[in-house]
Amino acid sequence: MTQHSPMEPTKVDVAVIGAGPAGMAAAVTASKAGLSVALLDEGQSLGGQIYRNIENGTPFRDGILGRDYVAGRTLAQSLRASDVTYLPRTTVWNISTDNMLDLSRDGSSSQLIADKIIVATGAVERPSPMPGWTLAGVTTVGALQILLKASGVVQEDAVLVGSGPLMWLVAAQMISAGTPPKAIVETTPKGRMAQAMPHILQALKGHRYLTKGLSMIRQVRGAGIPIYNAATNVRINGGEVAESVTFISKGKEHTIHSNHIALHQGVVPNQQVTRLLRCDHKWDASQHCFRPVLDGQGKTSVPDVYVAGDGAGIGGAKSAALMGRLVALAIAQEKGKALPERVDRLEAALASDGAVRPFLEAMYAPAPQFVKPAKETIVCRCEEVTAGAIQEAVDLGAPGPNQVKSFLRSGMGPCQGRVCGLVVASIIAERRKASMDETGYYRIRPPLKPIPLSELANFQPLEVAQK
Amino acid sequence: MTQTADLIVIGGGIHGSSTALFAALRGMSVIVIEKDTVARHASGVNAGGVRRLGRHLAEVPLSQHSMEIWYGLQDMLGADCGFQIAPQIKVAENEEELDRHRARVQTLNRMGFYHETILDQPQVRHYLPAVADHVVGGLASLRDGFAQPFWTTTAIARKATQAGVVFKEGERVLSLKRETDWTVTTDQDIYQAPKVLNAAGAWAGALAGSLGEYAPVEAIAPMMIVTARLPKFCDAVVGATGRPLSFKQMPNGTVVIGGGRRGRADTATNTSEMLFPELRNTAATAMDIFPIMRGATIVRSWSGVEGRMPDDIPVIGPSALHDGLYHSFGFSAHGFQMGPGTGETMAGLIETGATQFDLSAFAIDRFAPPNT
């Protein structure tokens, strides 16, 4: 272990943020090309969210989580066999324009300087604002799956409410674990299949995903769980704790009692790092999210900053790993290194893996209820700001999310707008009859994650763990 | 098509907006030209202290006048500015610091000002029950306060709009020329007026320079950090004496910490950037003076682009070179409290050519160009 003085921070060729499939693959490939690489990740162990806890699998857990999850182990093994400096439990909480990363690790903060930065921070769940979603006992489907991956725990008596492939996957995994959900309330609106059909021929090129999806849905339907389709007017009831969920399906109102409601409306790129760095972003009308503007090789509008994986646009784990390798190769090429693998094969594989996406995006676009929540629905959970208050701020003259933030404090809480950002922007766009690109997004301020004041007082340069 | 007015204000910060408001209330027609949006920079993102305490002696009369306006500002604007009267206290961490405060109070009293008073140790503990044991006393201005900068500046601009002021946001001034009247050319339009106010903050030096008037404005980015909510422990706005600190617990429980430390300011891109290593001492000072802060967590930070003069007091008054040109800029990170009072004073000066205040300390020609 070396102690560095503040005058000479540790330098690497490439800093990779996030140890999911994109980050692990990018780090390994960059390292193979002869670049010095640091892989920085918040988690205890390799894998990110999708391959969380991948190195500590048991046959029982592997059986529940399935083949696609287990595939991540190979990637983790290649990372362990590489020369990459892997720093777990490391939060990158700021990056300045001179490529200096401010890091927090085990309660102390330090710095690292990198020639190139690969942002591989993946996706976050799209918020599902609805009446009652801030009550205790309401969680997300993604959070239930993390519990399952991290500690093999399955929430009993859970009602899954929402839409999208992950919800079906988690339902199937819960069934395999012997703890099926109490009910599934599907919010995909009627007529979505018809909208998705034009994409079916292309999607058949990715038939493996379609087959897997259909078999998941079949498994869930065959398990005898109540499934309600095309649910609308969804609300969660309760005083402080969720007690039940009420909705309309097939023209009839239903109420299901449970203290555990898990919501899901698909996943969207985590924009926090690329917004902090002031990279250009553009609205993706098919994925209904902002994504960073990239050249063909994952390069953002900001020099030395690259994005790989779901943070660039949702493509799933396999695409993320392919993109990670491609971005690493682009950097290696720029640095005059011999390339350890062929770019054209990776590009072909990436195109083939993404074939199913347009179909899924049309099928599972968020339902109107969650894009334009009702007036009284709380949108910013940290500061308890309602959709109606945001509309009023717009009427007072606030042209975008940053002015609304200054008026109402929405996005100023500990989550830094991670949860509410997209919904706040879409409410403003709707009210002003403006496009999402005109409306824009929150300026993201450091720290990206809260840090103790005492840690700032003791801010130190980085100490690199010796492998 | 060329638009005309009695006065063109360049800069939609608190100084430009409040001068525009008071000029309109005097019956003048006013156009404000702002390259970004109203309150985008220092006027919208400062720490919000409404502080008379500890000001440069030359600023005290104008600051007092501004305070009188602040007390009635929300009623005048018909808007919530988040303004609350609260003590501003500079704590003394040793006897030597307290002696310096005693000498200052005597000086102020001789000038006829009595708003600053000495707090002994029991008194400072009365106002700041959570203060550290080593604090021996302090200097206080008990009826100062704080406000929400963005709410305040935008409320002033809204009231000005109601009074007939036209705000041109997102328009950048390209040139300023004097013939009979002033002609202001922006990237979108042309404006003419007999009088122009330069209230362009960090960008004001370049504007003055384009007219041959030297004003060494440095763009700075004062940094602020905000903590997660803490139980209520402090009603006052607190500073330190021997080291930089500004410290305030907001009504919602979050604590805003700033004071002196600067990030990176870029006037070309209109952006600023945090430099956290610079805040190590600020964090340590906050924990030294309020031990409860040892358990605090930082959730957010910000900085805004502000103009600073070499002597840390603003430029306020008429141009030394050109008729019909006025300046109000370079408030050096303490202009928020002075906004309403300076605006009212400048509006009077611009309309009538005279003011009751001695502005000589703020004259633009106090700076000698480097080549003379």
Side-chain angles (χ1 to χ4, degrees):
Chain A
M1 309 282 256
T2 350
Q3 181 75 53
H4 295 266
S5 84
M7 294 301 114
E8 39 183 50
T10 307
K11 280 192 77 151
V12 290
D13 293 327
V14 182
V16 181
I17 309 172
M24 288 193 288
V28 170
T29 302
S31 172
K32 274 188 193 158
L35 298 165
S36 62
V37 183
L39 175 61
L40 316 161
D41 188 73
E42 283 184 327
Q44 288 286 338
S45 59
L46 289 169
Q49 301 299 353
I50 191 102
Y51 299 142
R52 198 178 177 100
N53 210 16
I54 190 71
E55 294 179 299
N56 304 309
T58 60
F60 174 69
R61 216 156 44 85
D62 285 357
I64 295 169
L65 293 168
R67 231 177 34 202
D68 283 348
Y69 170 77
V70 176
R73 199 159 292 144
T74 319
L75 203 47
Q77 283 159 354
S78 68
L79 190 281
R80 290 290 180 185
S82 73
D83 289 331
V84 173
T85 302
Y86 163 51
L87 297 173
R89 302 182 307 283
T90 302
T91 300
V92 176
W93 54 265
N94 186 31
I95 305 170
S96 43
T97 51
D98 50 10
N99 292 9
M100 183 72 83
L101 286 76
D102 297 336
L103 318 169
S104 172
R105 184 162 198 234
D106 297 339
S108 79
S109 277
S110 60
Q111 292 187 315
L112 170 70
I113 195 159
D115 280 353
K116 306 282 179 188
I117 296 165
I118 301 177
V119 182
T121 49
V124 292
E125 281 180 272
R126 182 191 295 283
S128 312
M130 64 171 75
W133 74 310
T134 56
L135 295 174
V138 181
T139 182
T140 69
V141 169
L144 284 191
Q145 198 197 29
I146 284 167
L147 201 62
L148 179 59
K149 288 174 182 170
S151 42
V153 171
V154 187
Q155 178 64 60
E156 290 181 23
D157 202 28
V159 179
L160 310 189
V161 180
S163 163
L166 182 69
M167 189 175 73
W168 293 105
L169 173 63
V170 173
Q173 289 171 340
M174 291 171 78
I175 293 163
S176 300
T179 315
K182 182 170 184 178
I184 294 179
V185 180
E186 236 259 338
T187 59
T188 309
K190 273 190 204 132
R192 278 294 168 77
M193 188 54 94
Q195 287 165 25
M197 277 324 273
H199 304 288
I200 191 69
L201 278 180
Q202 194 198 340
L204 287 171
K205 290 182 202 152
H207 56 83
R208 200 183 71 85
Y209 288 112
L210 290 182
T211 316
K212 183 188 171 187
L214 287 172
S215 91
M216 256 164 23
I217 293 174
R218 231 183 351 257
Q219 184 191 353
V220 175
R221 291 196 189 280
I225 304 162
I227 300 174
Y228 302 87
N229 291 316
T232 60
N233 300 61
V234 189
R235 65 172 197 271
I236 299 164
N237 314 299
E240 283 180 11
V241 174
E243 286 160 12
S244 62
V245 54
T246 300
F247 54 91
I248 295 171
S249 176
K250 294 199 173 135
K252 207 175 142 217
E253 189 174 275
H254 302 265
T255 294
I256 304 172
H257 291 273
S258 172
N259 299 123
H260 305 285
I261 319 280
L263 311 178
H264 187 68
Q265 287 294 320
V267 296
V268 293
N270 177 358
Q271 307 176 67
Q272 300 298 107
V273 175
T274 48
R275 290 282 181 185
L276 171 77
L277 287 164
R278 301 187 179 118
C279 299
D280 290 340
H281 290 69
K282 235 187 136 34
W283 182 252
D284 181 328
S286 180
Q287 294 196 347
H288 299 269
C289 61
F290 285 106
R291 53 203 275 178
V293 177
L294 304 176
D295 74 354
Q297 300 185 303
K299 198 172 189 173
T300 68
S301 59
V302 174
D304 306 325
V305 178
Y306 298 74
V307 183
D310 276 356
I314 303 305
K318 205 173 161 197
S319 282
L322 290 165
M323 209 178 158
R325 284 152 76 183
L326 280 164
V327 167
L329 292 176
I331 292 172
Q333 184 147 41
E334 199 173 313
K335 294 215 147 234
K337 301 285 184 186
L339 303 190
E341 53 186 323
R342 277 180 56 179
V343 169
D344 56 347
R345 284 192 189 157
L346 292 175
E347 283 175 344
L350 186 61
S352 147
D353 191 62
V356 74
R357 285 290 147 188
F359 177 83
L360 293 180
E361 287 160 14
M363 184 77 195
Y364 293 120
Q369 177 184 354
F370 308 106
V371 181
K372 301 166 206 158
K375 248 198 179 106
E376 60 284 357
T377 305
I378 288 174
V379 171
C380 166
R381 303 171 61 113
C382 300
E383 299 289 335
E384 302 195 337
V385 179
T386 63
I390 293 165
Q391 291 169 346
E392 282 167 28
V394 170
D395 296 345
L396 262 179
N402 291 299
Q403 289 78 11
V404 167
K405 174 172 156 182
S406 296
F407 272 121
L408 300 175
R409 301 186 54 81
S410 51
M412 278 194 188
C415 100
Q416 278 267 21
R418 252 190 309 276
V419 176
C420 67
L422 280 180
V423 183
V424 170
S426 64
I427 292 169
I428 297 168
E430 162 92 7
R431 193 75 174 181
R432 299 188 69 226
K433 310 258 175 285
S435 72
M436 288 298 278
D437 281 323
E438 287 162 345
T439 304
Y441 196 76
Y442 292 135
R443 278 187 292 275
I444 299 301
R445 307 282 192 195
L448 289 169
K449 295 280 172 74
I451 55 161
L453 187 67
S454 55
E455 190 172 323
L456 178 59
N458 296 313
F459 198 3
Q460 292 288 323
L462 181 72
E463 188 179 318
V464 177
Q466 300 293 296
K467 272 173 55 82
Chain B
M1 208 192 83
T2 303
Q3 299 177 52
T4 59
D6 297 331
L7 169 65
I8 293 168
V9 174
I10 302 171
I14 190 165
H15 293 284
S17 299
S18 59
T19 305
L21 168 60
F22 285 108
L25 295 179
R26 285 171 168 270
M28 298 177 79
S29 61
V30 186
I31 297 171
V32 179
I33 300 170
E34 163 56 50
K35 65 176 169 37
D36 296 305
T37 48
V38 167
R40 168 68 184 85
H41 298 289
S43 297
V45 296
N46 62 75
V50 179
R51 175 179 64 81
R52 293 174 292 174
L53 179 72
R55 285 196 172 268
H56 190 287
L57 295 178
E59 289 178 352
V60 171
L62 205 48
S63 173
Q64 284 285 53
H65 177 58
S66 206
M67 203 68 225
E68 295 306 321
I69 301 177
W70 268 105
Y71 292 139
L73 189 65
Q74 299 189 121
D75 289 339
M76 176 191 171
L77 300 177
D80 180 4
C81 301
F83 175 66
Q84 287 186 28
I85 295 173
Q88 289 255 0
I89 300 171
K90 249 169 144 44
V91 297
E93 297 184 80
N94 54 53
E95 284 299 331
E96 187 269 328
E97 290 178 0
L98 196 55
D99 283 342
R100 265 156 53 199
H101 291 323
R102 290 193 182 102
R104 176 179 166 87
V105 169
Q106 285 179 358
T107 306
L108 283 172
N109 291 352
R110 275 198 300 273
M111 289 168 68
F113 296 110
Y114 297 90
H115 57 287
E116 293 187 20
T117 52
I118 293 292
L119 303 180
D120 62 16
Q121 199 165 37
Q123 285 169 321
V124 86
R125 262 180 237 316
H126 167 76
Y127 287 110
L128 305 172
V131 83
D133 289 343
H134 74 276
V135 168
V136 295
L139 179 68
S141 180
L142 295 173
R143 282 178 54 81
D144 285 6
F146 58 86
Q148 293 281 357
F150 186 82
W151 296 1
T152 305
T153 305
T154 51
I156 291 171
R158 272 202 309 278
K159 185 74 183 179
T161 305
Q162 288 162 17
V165 175
V166 176
F167 281 81
K168 299 281 180 181
E169 293 178 276
E171 264 191 70
R172 178 181 286 274
V173 172
L174 300 178
S175 74
L176 190 52
K177 283 202 192 76
R178 177 95 203 274
E179 286 143 18
T180 326
D181 280 350
W182 287 96
T183 301
V184 180
T185 308
T186 72
D187 52 6
Q188 292 169 38
D189 229 324
I190 295 172
Y191 303 89
Q192 282 183 333
K195 288 170 181 175
V196 170
L197 172 68
N198 172 14
W203 293 263
L207 194 65
S210 75
L211 298 168
E213 199 152 35
Y214 179 67
V217 182
E218 178 197 0
I220 61 169
M223 295 190 286
M224 255 83 55
I225 49 182
V226 188
T227 71
R229 290 179 177 150
L230 291 170
K232 192 83 206 160
F233 68 91
C234 182
D235 292 323
V237 185
V238 180
T241 306
R243 35 186 181 166
L245 178 72
S246 95
F247 184 100
K248 170 169 82 252
Q249 186 171 32
M250 302 302 294
N252 67 10
T254 62
V255 177
V256 178
I257 307 168
R261 305 290 169 181
R262 292 172 196 156
R264 253 183 224 133
D266 185 348
T267 51
T269 59
N270 294 346
T271 55
S272 59
E273 181 173 19
M274 296 293 292
L275 295 174
F276 282 94
E278 298 293 313
L279 286 167
R280 278 180 296 181
N281 291 335
T282 306
T285 304
M287 294 190 298
D288 283 352
I289 291 176
F290 289 105
I292 188 178
M293 295 303 291
R294 288 176 197 152
T297 300
I298 304 164
V299 295
R300 200 159 45 84
S301 70
W302 80 88
S303 62
V305 181
E306 161 72 336
R308 173 185 174 246
M309 305 312 296
D311 53 5
D312 279 306
I313 57 171
V315 170
I316 309 172
S319 158
L321 288 183
H322 303 285
D323 283 344
L325 176 65
Y326 298 84
H327 299 293
S328 184
F329 64 80
F331 286 78
S332 309
H334 53 259
F336 182 58
Q337 187 271 348
M338 292 176 76
T342 308
E344 201 255 8
T345 303
M346 286 306 293
L349 176 67
I350 291 168
E351 200 213 353
T352 66
T355 172
Q356 69 190 95
F357 291 99
D358 175 8
L359 299 177
S360 57
F362 310 115
I364 188 164
D365 57 2
R366 71 184 191 268
F367 304 105
N371 57 347
T372 55

